[in-house]
Amino acid sequence: MKDTSKHQGLRNQLAKLLAEKGITDKKVLEAIKVIPRHLFLNSSFEDFAYQDKAFPIGAGQTISQPYTVAFQSQLLEVKKDHKILEIGTGSGYQTAVLVAMGAKVYSVERQNELFKTTSALLPKLGIRAKYLSFGDGYKGLPDYAPFDSIIVTAGAPIIPKALMAQLKIGGRLVIPLGEDVQIMTLLIRKNATQFEKHEFGDFKFVPLLENKN
Ligand code: SAH
């Protein structure tokens, strides 16, 4: 699969649409313009890759809708060299967007098939995540903690305690909370024990599952 000027044009249009939908973080919009989303999808979806829609990526999972990726990325307030933990690597598209924003990304995926495919794809595209891990995201990555921010890209029934513990003071945890529909939730760590909570409307994600591997 190739990246062409036609794809670049579609990406520019997608970034414009996301700006119209309320995304204001320039770094997010620039990353959307740079990352070739069509290469993260099965080639049968190539023609639709720059629509603002989620698509299947195998193993019963989906690549998040671009607006959702942009919204979560904006809530993280990414600064260059921020150390970010992502739960739910999936296709690697969200990972790639954060890398393009200058973050050092650590990502965990529990589906072995997706872990293997994405671990091969990202280096092929020249996208350097710091660490891709196969395992249960409920546990986070204690060996690499603490993180400047943490993003969960699956619908979580609860906020995993381990993730709260792995956040720096001042750090941001962005997590869609709920069963059928999820409320996008931002926790900002104030000190060792206190977190400030903000809520941002409804989203729809595949579920964050307990590890089965
Ligand atoms: N960020 C991804 C979104 C994929 S959908 C993308 O841009 O494509 C959510 C992903 O979370 C799925 O791949 C699913 O397998 C994974 N997931 C679900 N429960 C998990 C868990 N407990 N630990 C790690 N990953 C999990």
Side-chain angles (χ1 to χ4, degrees), residues 57 61-64 69 86-95 108-111 114 135-138 153-154 206-211:
I57 52 171
Q61 306 304 320
T62 54
I63 182 173
S64 298
V69 171
E86 177 190 26
I87 306 302
T89 316
S91 69
Y93 179 69
Q94 171 73 74
T95 318
V108 184
E109 172 58 53
R110 72 184 273 285
Q111 291 275 2
L114 290 173
D136 181 10
Y138 274 91
T153 69
V206 295
L208 185 72
L209 300 171
E210 293 283 356
N211 200 18

Side-chain angles (χ1 to χ4, degrees), residues 192-211:
T193 55
Q194 286 173 307
F195 293 79
E196 189 179 281
K197 186 176 176 184
H198 303 263
E199 292 184 333
F200 301 85
D202 290 352
F203 287 79
K204 190 111 184 75
F205 285 81
V206 295
L208 185 72
L209 300 171
E210 293 283 356
N211 200 18

Side-chain angles (χ1 to χ4, degrees), residues 31-72:
I32 297 285
K33 284 187 202 167
V34 169
I35 301 300
R37 189 172 188 252
H38 64 287
L39 301 183
F40 292 78
L41 289 166
N42 184 296
S43 55
S44 56
F45 294 113
E46 191 185 343
D47 289 347
F48 315 109
Y50 296 102
Q51 294 183 3
D52 190 18
K53 287 191 182 144
F55 291 104
I57 52 171
Q61 306 304 320
T62 54
I63 182 173
S64 298
Q65 183 183 341
Y67 176 73
T68 304
V69 171
F71 193 86
Q72 289 196 281

